[in-house]
Amino acid sequence: ATKVVLDWEAAYAEDYLLQASTATTTIDTGNKMNHNDGWCVLFNGKDDKQQSQRSVKEYGQSPGVKQKTPLHVIHTIDLTTKEQRDKNDSSSSCSPFRYLRVFINKPARGWGVSLWQVDVYGTKVKDF
């Protein structure tokens, strides 16, 4: 993948992880699972070094909200930038991936999150 686009509502997050996996099966035994098993980090919102990967655009006006609040907050995560800067980083071993998840650490506004859409762009690879 070359980029991931997150289309948030006004209730967005900046502190989140984008994680990818190539795993074809997951077994939940009912035990507490390590949520990092089989997942690698594509983007970490807490990592200052990765902030240059994320561009943010806001547009629209949230209806029914008195203060000026955007209807859409678009985060575009450029996955090629980090791979070119540091070929030995774990993000380069995430590609190609089958599954993507967004792990929210903390909402930006303190009252939850609302994610309209997630888009992944890149070259299609052969089926796993």
Side-chain angles (χ1 to χ4, degrees), residues 38-91:
W39 295 89
C40 61
V41 176
L42 293 172
F43 177 78
N44 182 349
K46 285 185 179 181
D47 187 348
D48 291 337
K49 294 176 186 175
Q50 294 186 22
Q51 295 308 308
S52 63
Q53 286 180 257
R54 176 172 51 197
S55 64
V56 179
K57 293 183 182 176
E58 297 179 353
Y59 68 91
Q61 170 60 39
S62 245
V65 179
K66 292 178 184 177
Q67 65 183 7
K68 186 171 172 86
T69 306
L71 181 60
H72 292 272
V73 179
I74 308 296
H75 288 187
T76 302
I77 309 301
D78 183 354
L79 300 177
T80 60
T81 303
K82 184 159 184 62
E83 289 177 5
Q84 290 170 349
R85 191 173 65 236
D86 186 0
K87 295 280 186 187
N88 295 326
D89 187 86
S90 63
S91 67

Side-chain angles (χ1 to χ4, degrees), residues 1-8 16 18 42 53-57 59 72-79 97 100 102 115-122:
T2 57
K3 70 179 175 180
V4 176
V5 178
L6 304 169
D7 183 356
W8 304 90
Y16 57 86
L18 281 181
L42 293 172
Q53 286 180 257
R54 176 172 51 197
S55 64
V56 179
K57 293 183 182 176
Y59 68 91
H72 292 272
V73 179
I74 308 296
H75 288 187
T76 302
I77 309 301
D78 183 354
L79 300 177
F97 57 86
L100 175 76
V102 181
L115 188 56
W116 292 96
Q117 183 170 317
V118 177
D119 296 313
V120 178
Y121 295 87

